[in-house]
Amino acid sequence: GFLMPAKYTLTHFELLNEATQERLHNLGLYEGKDVALIQRYPFHGPVIIESDRQRIGLRYRVFCQLTGGMES
């Protein structure tokens, strides 16, 4: 069967540096935005999320900060 992607709400933008915040805002990502987790790579590799039908790769650390952290 097809698994529905996990949903996360983005928070804690204040933890990111300004350049990263600006890049995410330019991609339409902001605090309170709901995103779907499409793919995670092993060993803390990049995380692919989907927002407004566009897929975006985030660094694992950034994704964890924005979602309140999985394992760090």
Side-chain angles (χ1 to χ4, degrees):
F2 179 71
L3 285 172
M4 288 300 292
K7 297 278 191 208
Y8 290 88
T9 301
L10 301 183
T11 56
H12 304 300
F13 267 74
E14 74 280 356
L15 297 175
L16 305 176
N17 64 48
E18 285 186 28
T20 302
Q21 288 187 46
E22 187 171 339
R23 188 172 66 86
L24 296 178
H25 288 151
N26 289 341
L27 291 168
L29 300 178
Y30 48 83
E31 192 125 357
K33 181 86 171 172
D34 291 323
V35 300
L37 175 60
I38 301 299
Q39 188 166 8
R40 283 184 62 185
Y41 291 91
F43 310 113
H44 294 182
V47 177
I48 309 299
I49 62 168
E50 187 170 276
S51 169
D52 299 328
R53 295 187 300 283
Q54 75 173 333
R55 291 192 174 188
I56 298 164
L58 296 179
R59 288 189 198 97
Y60 177 85
R61 187 175 55 81
V62 169
F63 178 78
C64 288
Q65 288 172 315
L66 288 175
T67 57
M70 291 180 289
E71 66 280 5
S72 54

